[in-house]
Amino acid sequence: MTSRVSRDTAGNQTGVRADYPPMTNCGEVRDGLSARLDGEVRAWAAETGRKPGTLDGHLAGCADCRAWLRAAEQVNRAVRVQAVAVPDLTAPILAAVAAERDAAASPSGGRQRGGGRSCGWRWV
């Protein structure tokens, strides 16, 4: 028994009139999904003459494209979230703490000229 696909379909939904042709080519859909991940779905839609909603219509009925989208989203996140080199400030911080401790233990009790503690301010 051969079934005939009506041109009156919306994505993979039969019996729904649409003003765009159905998307049955997974390659086209994946191009559109990739554009959507990159924030370029409007450009893709203008270029192909398709509406962005056609992507979701195809995804609703295509497990392979849903799996492809999940994998593409994971790759997209991994590429966008990258480690940033942070300098190791342990030694300078410990040195500053030791200097402050030593200044507090000095005979002047950590007092500077003018009777104030060292806090980065100075009397003018």
Side-chain angles (χ1 to χ4, degrees):
M1 178 198 276
T2 305
S3 69
R4 203 170 134 190
V5 176
S6 168
R7 296 304 263 171
D8 294 336
T9 61
N12 292 330
Q13 301 173 3
T14 57
V16 178
R17 261 190 103 48
D19 58 350
Y20 51 86
M23 291 194 75
T24 55
N25 181 333
C26 291
E28 289 178 25
V29 171
R30 292 173 186 180
D31 287 344
L33 294 171
S34 179
R36 183 161 70 182
L37 287 171
D38 294 338
E40 300 172 351
V41 73
R42 288 180 190 239
W44 170 84
E47 183 179 308
T48 62
R50 303 238 184 231
K51 291 187 177 182
T54 59
L55 299 172
D56 294 322
H58 181 87
L59 286 173
C62 183
D64 289 340
C65 285
R66 285 193 305 271
W68 183 91
L69 179 59
R70 281 192 300 275
E73 287 170 336
Q74 289 175 345
V75 169
N76 200 24
R77 275 191 298 277
V79 169
R80 292 181 191 269
V81 178
Q82 297 179 8
V84 176
V86 177
D88 183 7
L89 299 175
T90 305
I93 291 171
L94 290 175
V97 169
E100 191 172 301
R101 184 188 59 229
D102 292 345
S106 71
S108 64
R111 305 246 176 228
Q112 302 285 327
R113 263 191 313 168
R117 291 193 121 235
S118 173
C119 62
W121 297 76
R122 66 185 184 126
W123 293 98
V124 180

